[in-house]
Amino acid sequence: MNKPKKRSFAELVKENKLELLRNPEAIEKIEERLEKKHLIKQKSI
């Protein structure tokens, strides 16, 4: 049985980026979360 290849952090980031680019729903969800955080920070200033 072969050991699975350990991927570097850069490889994992690249893989996640490609996966997100293929999934517009995930991008929308992330954007909404960022907007909410930004609004909360604006209110506290």
Side-chain angles (χ1 to χ4, degrees):
M1 194 162 129
N2 294 336
K3 280 188 172 181
K5 179 185 174 218
K6 291 192 178 188
R7 291 178 272 180
S8 69
F9 181 74
E11 289 172 328
L12 291 172
V13 169
K14 185 176 180 181
E15 186 178 308
N16 286 342
K17 181 180 177 182
L18 291 173
E19 190 175 325
L20 281 173
L21 290 173
R22 289 187 213 117
N23 188 352
E25 290 176 8
I27 294 173
E28 285 291 322
K29 192 173 182 180
I30 292 170
E31 286 176 347
E32 288 174 13
R33 286 174 45 201
L34 289 173
E35 287 175 6
K36 286 179 185 178
K37 284 184 180 182
H38 183 69
L39 288 174
I40 290 171
K41 284 184 179 182
Q42 289 293 330
K43 289 180 182 179
S44 66
I45 293 178

